[in-house]
Amino acid sequence: MSAGVELDHVTVRFGHFTAVDNATLDIKGGEFFSFLGPSGCGKTTILRTVSGFLDPSEGSVRIGGQDMSGIGPNKRPTALIFQNLALFPLMTVADNITYGLRVRGVSRAERDRKAQELLDLIALPDQGKKLVSELSGGQNQRVAIARALAVQPKVLLLDEPLSALDLKLRQHMRNELRAIQKQVGITFIYITHDQGEALTMSDRIAVMSDGVIQQVADGKTVYDNPDTPFVASFVGENNPFIGKVSKADATGAVIETPFGPLRGRNPKNLKSGDKAILFVRPESFALGKGAPDATLTAETISSAFEGNATHVFLKGAAVKNITMTVGRHGGAKIPGPGDKATISYDPAMGVVLAEGKMARE
Amino acid sequence: MSSRLFVFILPVVVIAIFWAMARRESKLAHDPTHKSFFERNGTSLGIVFILLVAFWALFLVTLPYLYMVVESFHPKLPPAQRGGPTDVLTIAQYKSFFVNPIDNEVNGTHIYAFVFSILASVAVTALNFAICYPIAYYMAQAGTAQKVRLLMLGLIVPYWVNEILRAFALRLLLASKGLINQMLMGIGLTETPIDFLGNNTGLYVGLSYAYLLVMVFPLYNAIESLDKNQIEAARDLGAPWWKIHRDVVMPYAKPGIASGCTMVFMLSAGSLAAPQFLGGPSTLWFTSIVYDFFFQSFNWPRGAAYAFILLAACIAFVMLMLRLFKVSLGETIR
Ligand SMILES: Nc1ncnc2c1ncn2[C@@H]1O[C@H](COP(=O)(O)OP(=O)(O)OP(=O)(O)O)[C@@H](O)[C@H]1O
Ligand SMILES: [Mg+2]
């Protein structure tokens, strides 16, 4: 059984510090929902508020339509997977997994049966008798998931559960997590500061910065149609060009940048004279001339060959760093260091947003 | 004479054997980069070190105990007869604990005092644990840093007052005309004063209080290193608070619990001041009997025998408990 989670104008303060600022969200039952944001932006705080370890200073949390105020973490239909897993080191794997059932007074026999079922689910069928210290990091990861699933939560909350694993294992566990979620069909709320993780696994993503939810959308939308400069600069690589809107029409806006007028889409309907930032992704650039208000000339600093693509780093007109990614096809000649390069982009791939805070590099 | 001489020779022989073994070992597994003790410190300084350590270990630690052991296997004799023909090895002193040598009856008084001391110490340990566990848990996991510092200060400062003064202060509080009785009678809870000292309440309170810190700090140390997330994980999985303590905190803190309980038990079983000042008139603490043998009747052999009976019983009891709760001795001193 799954349940949706609603945050209704939730604000969480620690003293005078606001860790979560007026968050309103509607996470649907059965959804794989991610919170993505840099360290310290309030992700864990939101998760702890949903699981009941923190009370919102304002607003309310509803799970399955039911108001959760005054209901403790041991009474909520949620299960939390901690950043450091927090498995019980003195218990066996099977005892860890069925601890939630034990405190509910489930009989030994029933617990053994359930442990076996979950060990099969996480593909560790013969490891029940071991101590958690005798398993590998990835195996412990799965034990933590099984322990949380054992109490049949309607919502599973995961706090950067993969951050302690090495890259290979992390990628493997992404698929596995997604598969487990499909199989058990409950709501997953997943926290990460790794955009790759968020983009590959989630149905929808909430991008956060300094306690404020910047945008809630599916991965493709967040990547292609960012709502704020923060989202544009935090999710994926992006090249910002700062300037003033000089012309706004039906197809987009032109802003005056140090490189001259550059054009992009205008989803926020900025008007002439507004301060704005144009974002163009590295892979949207191509070598050579394009439309006059989508072409710029810069000096090549260096390039980095990365197998499937080459990153070219350029500078010019007071902009220190422009990154362009050139794919292998087309056989374009990569400019060498010091070379002047003319590059252009499809104006439909640029997006003009009102000036605002960007993600720190 | 011979047996006493033997005691003094025994440690020397043991040391000689160990030294020979060490020499052999270092010859067999010779590490050319390793400098010997004398090479590192120089010969004269090395000799001084060794002599000092040997003096301390032998004369100040080992020999007094060994002497007492030997003494306990001898009869009580006037100085003139010591080493004479009547100074034979005997277990009479140990036997006298069970059978009174004067009337050949079972030595009820002493056995009772012994059993009472052990049981009362168990009770004190339990009481102490019940008081200290919440305090230690609060200090280690729940309290804010500032409150914990205040609490610690509050725990430690009273121990600047010496033990006898503290016992007397408690006595004043608990006496039949003391503050507590006055208060109880004042608010009409009781007509006549309650004899806190006579019914041994004072003894239990005094002993528990005396060894509060001995219990709090091992517990605090053990609980402090427990990851808060484990407590929250248990809570998140639906455990009520007491199951969290039963299943997560206490198993984790078991070595600390064992070491605190062992120390409190040993110390209260061997304590002298608190039972004397706070025990009821009919209460006979076993250590008081030992004390009297040494300093009232100058019967050192019997005093020593009694002391060793207590020591052996306490060690056996502690070992049994450790075995029962599956803690190894090594863990308790971690
Ligand atoms: N108990 C607390 N008391 C005071 N401030 C807190 C407390 N918990 C968190 N904060 C602050 O709230 C902010 C958000 O913290 P949170 O743990 O939610 O960040 P996060 O997004 O999970 O970061 P990370 O990715 O590093 O885990 C931080 O600035 C943190 O210092
Ligand atoms: Mg966090």
Side-chain angles (χ1 to χ4, degrees):
Chain A
M1 266 287 95
S2 71
V5 175
E6 289 161 75
L7 304 185
D8 188 358
H9 298 282
V10 169
T11 297
V12 184
R13 288 192 200 94
F14 298 110
H16 293 294
F17 178 77
T18 305
V20 176
D21 194 359
N22 199 12
T24 296
L25 265 181
D26 187 357
I27 300 168
K28 293 180 188 61
E31 193 170 19
F32 197 120
F33 191 93
S34 292
F35 283 94
L36 172 65
S39 183
C41 71
K43 305 181 298 286
T44 299
T45 306
I46 284 203
L47 215 60
R48 291 172 63 79
T49 311
V50 173
S51 59
F53 288 108
L54 281 173
D55 288 325
S57 317
E58 279 163 37
S60 61
V61 175
R62 281 190 294 277
I63 299 177
Q66 199 192 342
D67 188 8
M68 284 290 129
S69 53
I71 299 180
N74 48 355
K75 297 273 194 304
R76 294 195 182 189
T78 57
L80 179 59
I81 294 179
F82 289 79
Q83 211 156 351
N84 67 351
L85 304 186
L87 294 171
F88 305 125
L90 300 174
M91 296 184 198
T92 63
V93 168
D95 285 346
N96 258 285
I97 292 177
T98 54
Y99 182 70
L101 302 176
R102 185 174 146 207
V103 298
R104 283 168 176 72
V106 175
S107 73
R108 178 95 235 177
E110 174 63 16
R111 261 153 46 206
D112 286 344
R113 200 189 57 71
K114 190 76 193 175
Q116 201 46 55
E117 187 186 311
L118 283 159
L119 284 167
D120 288 341
L121 175 77
I122 58 171
L124 295 173
D126 312 318
Q127 315 280 359
K129 295 256 181 313
K130 287 190 180 169
L131 289 174
V132 289
S133 58
E134 293 165 329
L135 298 191
S136 71
Q139 290 173 326
N140 275 335
Q141 189 66 61
R142 285 181 266 176
V143 173
I145 294 166
R147 182 178 73 173
L149 290 176
V151 296
Q152 297 192 313
K154 294 183 176 146
V155 181
L156 193 66
L157 308 167
L158 304 99
D159 191 352
E160 306 201 32
L162 306 187
S163 58
L165 305 182
D166 62 55
L167 185 68
K168 262 261 149 55
L169 201 52
R170 205 151 65 215
Q171 278 163 352
H172 173 73
M173 285 304 296
R174 278 184 199 174
N175 300 333
E176 207 150 313
L177 266 181
R178 188 72 223 216
I180 288 175
Q181 195 255 347
K182 285 251 160 65
Q183 200 171 336
V184 294
I186 61 174
T187 315
F188 272 42
I189 300 183
Y190 189 90
I191 277 191
T192 180
H193 60 250
D194 179 333
Q195 34 153 325
E197 243 167 67
L199 291 173
T200 49
M201 291 196 286
S202 331
D203 295 319
R204 280 194 305 158
I205 301 170
V207 183
M208 284 185 77
S209 161
D210 288 340
V212 179
I213 293 179
Q214 302 273 327
Q215 182 172 10
V216 182
D218 62 86
K220 199 165 155 17
T221 307
V222 165
Y223 193 82
D224 288 337
N225 292 309
D227 266 350
T228 65
F230 179 84
V231 176
S233 54
F234 186 73
V235 182
E237 289 286 308
N238 228 331
N239 295 300
F241 299 92
I242 301 171
K244 255 196 184 127
V245 178
S246 59
K247 198 165 70 184
D249 54 34
T251 55
V254 175
I255 78 170
E256 292 304 321
T257 73
F259 287 100
L262 291 176
R263 176 179 279 277
R265 281 177 292 124
N266 184 12
K268 299 290 165 204
N269 293 319
L270 300 186
K271 285 180 213 43
S272 191
D274 288 349
K275 284 186 172 173
I277 309 176
L278 165 72
F279 288 96
V280 182
R281 297 219 176 256
E283 67 271 19
S284 300
F285 279 122
L287 287 164
K289 263 200 164 55
D293 53 5
T295 301
L296 47 112
T297 306
E299 184 189 333
T300 310
I301 308 169
S302 64
S303 62
F305 176 65
E306 211 182 59
N308 55 351
T310 303
H311 301 295
V312 183
F313 304 103
L314 312 112
K315 65 174 180 186
V319 177
K320 283 203 192 65
N321 197 350
I322 303 168
T323 309
M324 169 172 79
T325 302
V326 185
R328 295 226 84 175
H329 51 78
K333 184 173 175 310
I334 305 294
D339 291 353
K340 283 259 179 279
T342 299
I343 58 176
S344 60
Y345 62 92
D346 175 358
M349 301 302 276
V351 58
V352 178
L353 298 170
E355 195 179 51
K357 193 181 53 124
M358 284 192 275
R360 282 178 296 277
E361 282 301 312
Chain B
M1 183 65 218
S2 57
S3 67
R4 291 201 178 89
L5 192 65
F6 172 72
V7 171
F8 288 92
I9 294 171
L10 182 71
V12 178
V13 173
V14 170
I15 289 173
I17 292 174
F18 274 111
W19 185 72
M21 277 163 60
R23 284 306 295 251
R24 206 177 115 80
E25 182 74 11
S26 70
K27 274 221 187 71
L28 283 181
H30 187 67
D31 174 6
T33 60
H34 181 78
K35 279 183 156 180
S36 82
F37 181 74
F38 285 109
E39 278 168 342
R40 263 181 291 145
N41 297 299
T43 316
S44 47
L45 202 58
I47 289 176
V48 170
F49 279 160
I50 288 189
L51 283 182
L52 283 177
V53 171
F55 176 79
W56 173 72
L58 273 179
F59 283 87
L60 301 181
V61 180
T62 319
L63 281 177
Y65 288 118
L66 279 176
Y67 179 78
M68 288 316 251
V69 174
V70 173
E71 199 61 32
S72 71
F73 286 103
H74 281 272
K76 187 205 170 194
L77 293 170
Q81 287 175 32
R82 282 167 71 91
T86 49
D87 198 1
V88 289
L89 283 178
T90 169
I91 56 162
Q93 309 300 355
Y94 289 91
K95 221 170 112 189
S96 73
F97 169 70
F98 300 99
V99 181
N100 193 335
I102 295 166
D103 52 13
N104 271 326
E105 297 279 332
V106 172
N107 196 345
T109 331
H110 289 177
I111 293 176
Y112 177 80
F114 175 79
V115 173
F116 173 75
S117 299
I118 298 265
L119 291 183
S121 299
V122 171
V124 165
T125 309
L127 181 65
N128 214 331
F129 176 72
I131 296 170
C132 293
Y133 181 81
I135 297 178
Y137 179 78
Y138 176 83
M139 293 200 317
Q141 293 284 345
T144 58
Q146 198 192 354
K147 284 188 185 146
V148 168
R149 270 199 299 275
L150 266 179
L151 184 58
M152 251 193 221
L153 213 60
L155 281 173
I156 292 171
V157 167
Y159 286 84
W160 295 353
V161 177
N162 78 53
E163 193 188 352
I164 295 180
L165 205 59
R166 232 181 309 130
F168 263 113
L170 259 179
R171 205 187 155 96
L172 284 179
L173 280 181
L174 295 170
S176 41
K177 290 220 174 77
L179 193 66
I180 293 180
N181 267 317
Q182 301 274 1
M183 248 166 54
L184 288 181
M185 290 195 291
I187 55 174
L189 270 180
T190 167
E191 292 283 294
T192 50
I194 301 170
D195 188 6
F196 287 120
L197 298 171
N199 67 14
N200 280 335
T201 309
L203 176 67
Y204 296 121
V205 172
L207 278 177
S208 301
Y209 188 46
Y211 304 121
L212 214 58
L213 292 188
V214 174
M215 183 67 96
V216 165
F217 282 107
L219 290 183
Y220 171 78
N221 267 341
I223 300 174
E224 210 246 327
S225 58
L226 174 63
D227 176 12
K228 244 191 196 65
N229 283 351
Q230 299 226 344
I231 298 170
E232 294 197 337
R235 188 146 164 247
D236 189 60
L237 289 168
W241 65 270
W242 61 273
K243 282 186 183 170
I244 297 177
H245 285 283
R246 185 194 67 186
D247 301 332
V248 178
V249 186
M250 284 196 190
Y252 182 83
K254 208 159 70 173
I257 296 174
S259 112
C261 287
T262 306
M263 283 201 279
V264 169
F265 172 74
M266 289 288 206
L267 286 172
S268 43
S271 72
L272 196 58
Q276 265 181 7
F277 295 129
L278 295 166
S282 59
T283 306
L284 189 54
W285 202 256
F286 195 67
T287 46
S288 305
I289 300 174
V290 177
Y291 181 89
D292 285 348
F293 276 129
F294 276 98
F295 294 103
Q296 303 287 318
S297 46
F298 298 104
N299 192 345
W300 281 40
R302 199 166 171 193
Y306 273 45
F308 282 114
I309 289 175
L310 180 64
L311 181 64
C314 287
I315 290 177
F317 182 77
V318 166
M319 288 308 196
L320 182 74
M321 286 297 135
L322 291 183
R323 172 65 63 84
L324 226 58
F325 288 100
K326 300 201 181 70
V327 193
S328 76
L329 196 60
E331 276 179 294
T332 63
I333 53 171
R334 233 183 8 203

